[in-house]
Amino acid sequence: MTNPVITISGRPIGIDYAPYIVAELSANHNGSLARAKDIIAMAKRCGASAVKLQTYAAHTITLNSRNEDFMIRGGLWDGKSLYELYQWAQMPWEWHKPLFDYARQLELTIFSSPFDTTAVDLLEDLNAPAYKVASFEAIDIPLIKYIAATKKPMIISTGMANAEEIAEAVDAARSGGCEQLALLHCVSSYPAPSSEYNLRTIVDMAEKFGVVCGLSDHTVNNTTALTSVALGAAIIEKHVTLDRNAGGPDDSFSLEEADLHSLCEQAKIAWEALGRIDYSQQASEKATVKYRRSLYFVNNKKAGEVINANDIRSVRPGFGLAPKYYDSLIGRKLITDVSANTPTSWQLIEH
């Protein structure tokens, strides 16, 4: 059985390929188009596979109300209404084309998370190569079906969703026409504690749903993301920023340039280290194999003399017979003289 693969902008994604690193720009533009472009340029410098936007306006994602249902209590955004938060965080729709154009100029894949059907329509006009469904929208079955109808690759984050809800999202995507689907294991808190990530879920998710799987990581360092590679994460998504202390909605739990560069580099190394099942001697070992243990004569001996237990020892290097032949040599006669520090050899011994 072959491992599942999806392709975005010609780049194959799956466990047989180096991890696909998505730099999530999110709200870290902080109201500046120039800053958004600087983040895209930073993602390119760091070696990210793609940069991702979020496409919504406050009125497309919530209602303008300060009723208690709409108020945020606790956490980074305590005291704001949902409308106030999204009005602060939203990326103006007129920025999308210049940002898509800029990323393409840099030869960096760019796509987005749409939060309603009008956002999908905007992104279709920009010929987005793929779509991401955010965790909060993973239960919006009509939206998933609308995205699936584009026939583009779709990545769905699964934060807060239980197994049944994930299955419903997968069914909606497939029945809606999506043939290239990926799921990202996620914990939807900001920041999220590594102890809650339960990364072994990635293995089960891949087996249960038969799709490319990865990680949407909201922890404040790279440890969780790098660990996920060993468990089959083929996609890693992290929020990125120019400055964690810039005061924007998502800055405080996002990666700065040095950490993003490290993630891109170390994730590839981790994937390469996984390799395949292979018990053979590796190319880099060929120069050192001669320093393994072998049997050497430790006494001067004459032809015809019998080899005794105190005549040979297992020592480094490995130019003599393997130590496993120790018992076979004891009691045999030499057919030629040997001196101490000579490697044992069948040519020296009477058969």
Side-chain angles (χ1 to χ4, degrees):
M1 179 178 175
T2 57
N3 295 317
V5 176
I6 67 171
T7 302
I8 298 178
S9 298
R11 164 66 152 86
I13 304 166
I15 63 172
D16 295 324
Y17 303 90
Y20 191 81
I21 309 297
V22 179
E24 167 65 88
L25 194 150
S26 65
N28 289 335
H29 52 79
N30 293 355
S32 166
L33 177 59
R35 182 182 174 87
K37 287 185 174 181
D38 287 344
I39 292 175
I40 291 173
M42 181 264 280
K44 175 66 176 180
R45 285 195 304 274
C46 290
S49 309
V51 66
K52 191 184 77 63
L53 313 180
Q54 295 183 0
T55 305
Y56 63 84
H59 71 276
T60 70
I61 201 170
T62 190
L63 303 178
N64 188 5
S65 171
R66 291 188 63 84
N67 290 343
E68 191 58 29
D69 285 357
F70 294 85
M71 299 302 296
I72 301 170
R73 301 302 183 196
L76 292 177
W77 311 304
D78 182 49
K80 288 185 178 293
S81 71
L82 290 175
Y83 192 90
E84 289 167 339
L85 172 64
Y86 298 129
Q87 193 171 46
W88 176 35
Q90 69 189 19
M91 175 176 289
W93 286 28
E94 61 269 21
W95 288 9
H96 282 65
K97 186 178 188 308
L99 291 179
F100 267 68
D101 289 345
Y102 183 62
R104 287 166 173 163
Q105 179 187 329
L106 296 178
E107 299 183 340
L108 177 64
T109 297
I110 185 170
F111 58 98
S112 187
S113 294
F115 290 80
D116 78 317
T117 58
T118 63
V120 178
D121 295 341
L122 169 68
L123 295 168
E124 276 295 280
D125 287 343
L126 296 171
N127 196 26
Y131 289 95
K132 164 74 189 302
V133 177
S135 289
F136 289 80
E137 277 60 48
I139 57 170
D140 191 338
I141 300 303
L143 177 61
I144 290 173
K145 288 183 175 180
Y146 194 85
I147 295 170
T150 69
K151 309 296 184 181
K152 304 278 182 68
M154 188 190 314
I155 302 169
I156 303 176
S157 274
T158 62
M160 302 171 290
N162 59 35
E164 181 181 353
E165 290 168 334
I166 295 170
E168 290 171 349
V170 169
D171 289 344
R174 286 173 169 160
S175 66
C178 177
E179 296 180 355
Q180 298 194 69
L181 179 64
L183 296 175
L184 301 187
H185 180 55
C186 180
V187 175
S188 293
S189 57
Y190 309 91
S194 295
S195 59
E196 293 187 356
Y197 256 90
N198 297 310
L199 292 178
R200 290 184 177 90
T201 307
I202 295 171
V203 178
D204 188 69
M205 186 181 289
E207 293 175 353
K208 190 183 299 290
F209 299 107
V211 298
V212 173
C213 288
L215 182 73
S216 179
D217 182 18
H218 298 140
T219 65
V220 295
N221 56 46
N222 288 333
T223 304
T224 302
L226 294 175
T227 303
S228 76
V229 176
L231 293 169
I235 304 170
I236 296 172
E237 179 188 70
K238 289 282 277 191
H239 287 244
V240 299
T241 185
L242 299 177
D243 181 3
R244 270 188 174 168
N245 299 310
D250 299 343
D251 279 320
S252 63
F253 61 89
S254 300
L255 294 185
E256 294 177 337
E257 180 164 355
D259 288 330
L260 177 59
H261 183 273
S262 178
L263 175 64
C264 294
E265 186 178 72
Q266 296 299 316
K268 183 176 182 181
I269 292 171
W271 172 78
E272 289 174 338
L274 285 173
R276 64 188 188 281
I277 298 171
D278 183 5
Y279 293 100
S280 66
Q281 192 178 100
Q282 300 302 304
S284 62
E285 296 177 313
K286 295 188 186 302
T288 54
V289 69
K290 63 186 177 184
Y291 298 116
R292 293 200 298 184
R293 298 182 84 93
S294 69
L295 298 174
Y296 268 71
F297 289 101
V298 294
N299 297 317
N300 297 323
K301 302 286 287 183
K302 296 290 186 181
E305 289 186 340
V306 172
I307 301 172
N308 298 310
N310 61 349
D311 290 327
I312 56 175
R313 282 181 57 197
S314 170
V315 296
R316 297 184 185 187
F319 296 104
L321 296 170
K324 66 182 179 180
Y325 295 114
Y326 181 88
D327 289 339
S328 298
L329 296 181
I330 302 302
R332 295 207 182 193
K333 290 182 180 179
L334 289 164
I335 59 175
T336 184
D337 293 352
V338 297
S339 58
N341 305 326
T342 298
T344 57
S345 166
W346 292 120
Q347 285 71 36
L348 305 176
I349 299 161
E350 184 180 88
H351 289 276

